[in-house]
């Protein structure tokens, strides 16, 4: 497979193929950049259609982590791991320990953590063979509430910038997905006086939001065309596409989901339609900020994590203002700022 020719190859520092025949481990670890510090990013377990698909995913995700960590102000680079195969059949303690050995062989250039299909219990097994693990039980804990706080502050920044309002009283928000982050976000929005319209595939979560948060429940396809100020994607990625954009009445998109834009060009489509988009990897960085404090040499402190998460408001405001000044889409500006931080250690706004 010609790694260097792939579109997703972005001068990654290191791409490591790892295998252990005894446990059946087949994995790829990509270290995109260590310019700002050790590469950090979770590991996902996925039954990829091919090894090439796994390689593309790990290249793309590790680059995303470099940008996310840079914009979050963390002294961390970007990396990612993927374990190839069906987690239902392959998961075993020995497989995770073998993955731990692979991580350990990188001597601290890559810190791993949970991602899709990997639990804190699995990471405890990885931790048996390497210290370069974060997000362990009993340490920084569930990142969800920190991600929800960052997303809430990001919505506040977007409302201030687009609608000139300092508080959320009467602001209407459509939330897609009431999971770990989405529900916690809804609680914060409700407490701040916002009116909620919600959807999910989970009826229990919907009933709870209706009774506890006075939320209006709508169907999965109805969430896009609601008469609201903010659309907040908090479920799966790629929900912003030509079809959903055509339906949106919201003037702001600000939610926690990863990879919200179905295609990169949707960044510009949103700008042309006058919809303010809070770049996903900036607004949803609360969780990685919390996890990062577990990696730093200083003891973990939730207050320090909260203070860092609060900076997301100002980072987004800077992106929004620069995007208007330069008449460019917000995602483009954010990527540019991230690259600037990685190259120069700080942002040039000129
Ligand atoms: P979760 O699995 O707890 O919640 C996802 C919710 O979306 C569930 O309630 C699920 O029922 C619902 N859902 C699934 N399909 C749906 C659909 N088609 N329409 C509406 N709802 C649907 O996940 P989470 O931890 O809350 O994360 C939500 C999103 O935020 C994901 O994209 C995740 O990658 C991203 N994210 C999470 C964190 C974190 O700290 N947990 C950090 C950064 C980004």
């Amino acid at each position: 497979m010609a790694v260097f020719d792939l579109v997703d190859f972005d001068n990654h520092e290191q791409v490591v193929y790892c295998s252990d025949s005894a446990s059946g481990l087949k994995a790829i670890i990509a270290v995109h950049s260590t310019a700002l510090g050790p590469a950090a990013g979770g590991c996902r377990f996925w039954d990829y259609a091919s090894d090439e698909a796994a390689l593309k995913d790990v290249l793309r995700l590790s680059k995303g982590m470099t940008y996310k960590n840079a914009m979050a102000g963390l002294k961390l680079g970007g990396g990612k791991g993927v374990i190839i195969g069906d987690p239902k059949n392959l998961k075993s303690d020995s497989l995770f320990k073998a993955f731990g050995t692979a991580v350990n062989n990188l001597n601290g250039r890559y810190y791993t953590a949970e991602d899709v299909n990997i639990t804190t219990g699995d990471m405890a097994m990885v931790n048996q063979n390497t210290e370069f693990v974060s997000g362990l039980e009993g340490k920084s804990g569930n990142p969800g509430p920190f991600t929800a706080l960052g997303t809430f502050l990001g919505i506040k920044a977007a409302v201030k910038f687009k609608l000139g309002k300092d508080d959320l009283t009467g602001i209407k928000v459509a939330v897609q997905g009431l999971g770990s982050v989405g529900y916690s976000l809804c609680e914060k929005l409700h407490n701040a006086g916002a009116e909620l319209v919600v959807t999910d595939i989970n009826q229990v979560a919907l009933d709870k939001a209706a009774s506890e948060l006075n939320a209006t429940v709508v169907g999965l396809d109805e969430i896009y065309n609601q008469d609201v100020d903010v659309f907040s994607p908090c479920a799966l990625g790629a929900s912003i596409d030509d079809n959903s954009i055509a339906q949106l009445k919201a003037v702001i998109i600000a939610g926690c989901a990863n990879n919200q834009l179905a295609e990169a060009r949707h960044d510009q489509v949103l700008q042309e339609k006058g919809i303010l988009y809070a770049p996903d990897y900036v607004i949803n960085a609360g969780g990685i900020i919390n996890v990062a404090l577990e990696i730093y040499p200083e003891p973990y402190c939730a207050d320090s994590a909260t203070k860092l998460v609060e900076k997301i408001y100002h980072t987004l405001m800077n992106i929004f203002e620069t995007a208007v000044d330069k008449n460019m889409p917000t995602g483009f500006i954010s990527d540019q700022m991230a690259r600037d931080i990685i190259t120069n250690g700080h942002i040039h706004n000129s």
Side-chain angles (χ1 to χ4, degrees):
M1 211 179 304
V3 179
F4 298 122
D5 296 335
L6 290 175
V7 230
D8 294 301
F9 180 73
D10 181 56
N11 291 311
H12 289 65
E13 289 179 14
Q14 210 169 354
V15 181
V16 183
Y17 287 78
C18 328
S19 75
D20 173 62
S21 56
S23 63
L25 175 75
K26 271 174 66 184
I28 311 175
I29 298 172
V31 173
H32 175 252
S33 167
T34 57
L36 299 176
C43 175
R44 68 176 48 173
F45 206 142
W46 197 256
D47 199 2
Y48 290 98
S50 64
D51 293 354
E52 190 173 13
L55 175 64
K56 281 184 184 172
D57 207 30
V58 79
L59 290 176
R60 192 178 55 85
L61 292 168
S62 56
K63 176 183 171 186
M65 287 311 301
T66 301
Y67 283 32
K68 184 172 190 156
N69 292 340
M71 289 305 282
L74 300 171
K75 291 179 207 137
L76 292 174
K80 201 84 186 181
V82 293
I83 299 179
I84 301 166
D86 184 351
K88 280 194 222 82
N89 303 329
L90 275 178
K91 267 196 179 195
S92 71
D93 290 355
S94 57
L95 179 138
F96 286 115
K97 284 184 196 171
F99 183 70
T101 302
V103 171
N104 206 50
N105 287 341
L106 286 165
N107 286 318
R109 284 175 51 74
Y110 168 63
Y111 277 76
T112 194
E114 299 86 7
D115 197 80
V116 179
N117 287 328
I118 298 199
T119 66
T120 48
D122 300 332
M123 271 301 140
M125 287 301 133
V126 175
N127 188 214
Q128 294 216 353
N129 283 359
T130 185
E131 63 182 289
F132 305 117
V133 176
S134 57
L136 291 167
E137 204 74 66
K139 293 202 176 165
S140 65
N142 178 9
F146 289 89
T147 306
L149 173 63
T151 308
F152 172 71
L153 295 172
I155 290 175
K156 286 197 77 165
V159 166
K160 170 74 179 166
F161 186 80
K162 186 79 183 170
L163 306 173
K165 293 189 179 168
D166 274 313
D167 85 280
L168 298 182
T169 308
I171 295 291
K172 297 191 181 103
V173 188
V175 181
Q176 181 184 47
L178 300 176
S180 159
V181 182
Y183 199 90
S184 173
L185 171 67
C186 283
E187 288 175 326
K188 291 182 195 307
L189 291 168
H190 175 71
N191 292 339
E195 293 171 27
L196 298 169
V197 181
V198 297
T199 195
D200 199 290
I201 50 172
N202 176 353
Q203 192 58 43
V204 177
L206 290 172
D207 292 346
K208 195 168 171 232
S211 70
E212 290 180 1
L213 309 176
N214 200 24
T216 304
V217 173
V218 298
L220 295 178
D221 294 335
E222 291 166 352
I223 196 72
Y224 301 111
N225 68 0
Q226 295 301 308
D227 198 3
V228 294
D229 303 293
V230 183
F231 173 65
S232 186
C234 295
L236 311 170
S239 71
I240 308 299
D241 57 15
D242 292 329
N243 177 42
S244 59
I245 293 173
Q247 296 179 60
L248 282 181
K249 293 182 185 151
V251 290
I252 292 167
I253 296 177
C256 72
N258 277 316
N259 304 319
Q260 292 170 24
L261 305 182
E263 296 169 53
R265 68 180 173 84
H266 290 125
D267 191 24
Q268 191 175 346
V269 176
L270 293 174
Q271 186 207 8
E272 285 163 1
K273 289 202 75 172
I275 298 174
L276 182 67
Y277 166 60
D280 46 15
Y281 66 86
V282 178
I283 192 171
N284 73 13
I288 185 73
I289 290 171
N290 187 46
V291 163
L293 268 65
E294 194 180 319
I295 297 175
Y296 287 175
E298 302 83 21
Y300 172 77
C301 165
D303 285 347
S304 307
T306 303
K307 284 201 182 81
L308 270 179
V309 174
E310 284 168 358
K311 290 188 178 173
I312 289 175
Y313 180 99
H314 305 286
T315 306
L316 283 170
M317 216 38 125
N318 190 15
I319 292 170
F320 298 154
E321 283 162 3
T322 311
V324 166
D325 284 352
K326 295 190 173 179
N327 192 24
M328 296 300 287
T330 50
F332 175 88
I333 291 296
S334 180
D335 285 357
Q336 201 174 49
M337 286 180 173
R339 280 193 291 271
D340 226 356
I341 295 170
I342 297 154
T343 312
N344 305 310
H346 57 88
I347 298 171
H348 294 278
N349 275 335
S350 57

